[in-house]
Amino acid sequence: AFYGMLTYNFNERLKMIGGARYEKTNLEAISAAETVPVGRINATDILPSANLVYSLTPDMNIRASYSQTVARPNIREISAFESYDPLTKQIVKGNPDLKRTNITNYDLRWEWFTNPGELLAVSGYYKDFTNPISLFYQRASSPTLKFDNVDAAKVYGVEIEFRKSLGAISPALRNFKLNTNVSFIHSESDIKLSDPTFERFFTKLTRPFEGQAPFIVNAALVYSNLDQGIDASLSLNAIGDRLSLVGEDVTPDIYTRGASLLDFAVSKKFGNLGLRFSAKNLLNATYTD
């Protein structure tokens, strides 16, 4: 791969950062047994990108961006190979017919740098996937999973980001900072059926994108005292239910239930030495399917 990039200032407020990336892919998974199909991807991609930045004020910007990217299957996914997964107690099969995934990305962002190290930003984004790869259940005498492409998928949503020092509330809180990031996401992926006659069992032929949660919340209260060498943080991560395994035909989909994790960490420096303590999952959240 190689790429070229340029920055062009239209005027004092508007500038463009753009370019393109050239990628050549030659991927093969060949078995010692000649009767086993060869997994192969031989492709050339030219991936453009463009980013427009408009300065509303010296500390406020609007950004609009467009880009194309590509995702390739790994060797395990593209090999005609079966393996046993002891965690799920299921057979996982590769697929030599897998295609790479082409992704088109659109982003729009408003950002306001209220003070050094502080930020308020709102972003919207849309991602269009061609030939995304999913892990499907197959009809078999024992639980069997297989990697396969579906025709298309899309993901779009909004993200709110906020970083603020609490010193504005009181000078006693000047060493505290609040960091938050909240995303709300909608995703859709085509359903792939080995036998189209099974379509009558479904009320619709789309499902959520595999592994994509409908919302993600990150929040952290951070304390930093450089004079005393103390850093501490109390962080919360909450995530919604995610599609984990895609059923085939009349086999149901499997979801991983969302969870809220609360973690604490503190560190103290003693000259060139440091001491760190951390505690994870203080809410004792459980993971279930």
Side-chain angles (χ1 to χ4, degrees):
F2 62 87
Y3 72 94
M5 185 179 69
L6 62 87
T7 300
Y8 182 77
N9 294 305
F10 294 97
N11 51 50
E12 293 183 354
R13 290 194 171 189
L14 179 64
K15 70 177 179 179
M16 181 192 73
I17 305 169
R21 179 179 176 90
Y22 172 92
E23 292 191 1
K24 172 67 175 177
T25 303
N26 187 3
L27 173 65
E28 290 184 336
I30 304 174
S31 172
E34 296 181 357
T35 57
V36 176
V38 176
R40 178 181 289 114
I41 292 180
N42 191 346
T44 299
D45 294 286
I46 297 178
L47 308 171
S49 67
N51 191 329
L52 290 174
V53 182
Y54 183 77
S55 297
L56 296 171
T57 66
D59 55 8
M60 188 182 299
N61 298 322
I62 292 180
R63 298 177 180 267
S65 63
Y66 163 84
S67 65
Q68 292 185 0
T69 53
V70 64
R72 305 170 187 81
N74 60 37
I75 294 296
R76 179 188 184 188
E77 293 171 345
I78 204 171
S79 300
F81 171 74
E82 295 185 5
S83 61
Y84 177 75
D85 185 352
L87 295 179
T88 61
K89 299 180 181 179
Q90 296 171 113
I91 301 296
V92 180
K93 297 174 61 176
N95 183 357
D97 295 323
L98 282 181
K99 304 172 184 177
R100 74 195 190 286
T101 302
N102 295 94
I103 311 166
T104 303
N105 310 279
Y106 305 89
D107 297 88
L108 182 64
R109 176 181 173 92
W110 170 81
E111 56 189 15
W112 180 22
F113 300 95
T114 54
N115 282 303
E118 298 183 355
L119 171 67
L120 175 62
V122 180
S123 305
Y125 53 88
Y126 179 91
K127 298 178 181 293
D128 184 69
F129 298 78
T130 301
N131 299 320
I133 300 172
S134 292
L135 191 60
F136 290 86
Y137 267 113
Q138 285 194 307
R139 285 180 294 164
S141 57
S142 60
T144 303
L145 301 170
K146 183 181 180 181
F147 295 100
D148 211 340
N149 294 104
V150 298
D151 291 336
K154 60 183 178 182
V155 175
Y156 56 88
V158 62
E159 178 184 31
I160 303 171
E161 185 177 358
F162 180 69
R163 298 199 302 264
K164 180 68 176 178
S165 171
L166 300 187
I169 300 175
S170 169
L173 301 176
R174 64 184 181 276
N175 292 326
F176 288 89
K177 181 183 293 186
L178 180 65
N179 299 332
T180 61
N181 181 284
V182 181
S183 296
F184 300 96
I185 309 113
H186 178 82
S187 64
E188 288 184 10
S189 176
D190 289 346
I191 290 177
K192 184 179 182 67
L193 302 176
S194 59
D195 185 349
T197 60
F198 281 92
E199 291 183 2
R200 67 182 187 274
F201 291 104
F202 295 88
T203 57
K204 60 180 182 177
L205 293 181
T206 61
R207 55 162 62 88
F209 197 35
E210 181 184 350
Q212 179 63 64
F215 68 87
I216 301 173
V217 178
N218 294 294
L221 180 62
V222 180
Y223 175 83
S224 180
N225 189 322
L226 298 179
D227 295 334
Q228 298 184 13
I230 298 176
D231 287 289
S233 65
L234 182 67
S235 58
L236 173 70
N237 172 262
I239 190 168
D241 297 349
R242 291 155 290 166
L243 178 61
S244 178
L245 294 174
V246 179
E248 183 161 321
D249 301 338
V250 293
T251 303
D253 299 334
I254 293 181
Y255 283 77
T256 299
R257 291 296 186 187
S260 298
L261 300 178
L262 184 65
D263 300 332
F264 174 75
V266 60
S267 63
K268 167 69 176 174
K269 290 185 177 179
F270 301 92
N272 294 327
L273 300 178
L275 182 65
R276 177 180 172 83
F277 169 82
S278 64
K280 296 183 179 295
N281 195 14
L282 298 178
L283 300 177
N284 196 30
T286 56
Y287 293 91
T288 59
D289 290 335

